[in-house]
Amino acid sequence: FKLHVMGTPAANDIVLANADKYPVLNIKPVERPWVSVYKNSPYIILEKNSGGDVPLFYALKSELKKEKINWKPLAGMEEEIKEFFVNGSDIYLLTSKGNPTFKIIKTSLVHPDLSNAETIAEGKGDWKISSVSRTKDYLLINFSKNESIIKPHIYNFTSGKKAAVKTSLQGN
């Protein structure tokens, strides 16, 4: 996986992730590394996707143009990460670990600690988290019952409050 700057020769591309240069990443042939960069965050995230749970690594964005990025492990397969969202120095992770109806946990990328991460939303009983998306200021969290009734909620990044979204109809 390389960083290419438009208008420059491909020979100048910077290797961001591969098995030879970064043995700490332990990239297997079936895994596709992907690096995400965010306008509103000083961090970059590397995921190793092979179609299931996603192992994650992180580094400071300022390391992108260095000879070698100091990738640090964030979450392994045992964390059961399905999706993630970055806002500033915080990362929000959708996981099934400890809850088959899913939960969203939050930790800081300054000193990540998944074992003590804050749970900001979780499925309960017949209601599971069926999808999560982000806007500039919110996470939109859809809870579903049998995938036929959806109850949307928003999580405000600034206030840390979660609220149900009033809808005129119930359904999907």
Side-chain angles (χ1 to χ4, degrees):
F1 193 85
K2 295 181 177 184
L3 172 66
H4 177 75
V5 178
M6 296 297 288
T8 64
N12 294 353
D13 290 359
I14 300 168
V15 175
L16 301 179
N18 74 13
D20 295 332
K21 186 172 182 178
Y22 295 99
V24 69
L25 297 176
N26 193 26
I27 299 172
K28 297 175 180 71
V30 297
E31 294 174 322
R32 293 180 323 260
W34 186 261
V35 176
S36 298
V37 179
Y38 307 91
K39 288 181 183 179
N40 72 342
S41 178
Y43 293 92
I44 54 177
I45 304 293
L46 180 140
E47 62 182 287
K48 296 189 318 177
N49 195 328
S50 61
D53 296 337
V54 182
L56 300 173
F57 294 80
Y58 72 105
L60 286 167
K61 189 190 302 183
S62 59
E63 295 189 17
L64 264 176
K65 300 213 176 169
K66 289 186 176 178
E67 179 62 31
K68 193 164 184 180
I69 296 171
N70 182 23
W71 290 113
K72 297 175 188 161
L74 177 64
M77 294 289 282
E78 69 281 0
E79 300 300 332
E80 301 175 28
I81 304 301
K82 312 303 182 200
E83 289 185 79
F84 62 92
F85 306 88
V86 174
N87 187 62
S89 292
D90 293 326
I91 187 164
Y92 299 82
L93 305 147
L94 177 66
T95 178
S96 58
K97 183 176 182 178
N99 187 336
T101 57
F102 302 99
K103 64 183 175 180
I104 300 171
I105 59 175
K106 170 189 171 185
T107 191
S108 170
L109 289 166
V110 177
H111 298 290
D113 182 0
L114 296 185
S115 60
N116 292 305
E118 174 187 357
T119 298
I120 64 158
E122 62 184 316
K124 291 181 183 162
D126 291 340
W127 292 92
K128 74 172 191 172
I129 297 176
S130 60
S131 67
V132 183
S133 55
R134 84 158 280 163
T135 68
K136 179 178 172 258
D137 299 318
Y138 301 94
L139 283 180
L140 173 61
I141 306 162
N142 285 319
F143 291 86
S144 71
K145 184 175 183 179
N146 300 325
E147 296 296 331
S148 59
I149 301 173
I150 306 261
K151 289 187 178 179
H153 288 71
I154 56 170
Y155 172 84
N156 184 306
F157 290 126
T158 304
S159 71
K161 299 204 184 294
K162 185 179 73 163
V165 175
K166 304 281 187 215
T167 57
S168 55
L169 298 172
Q170 274 197 335
N172 63 6

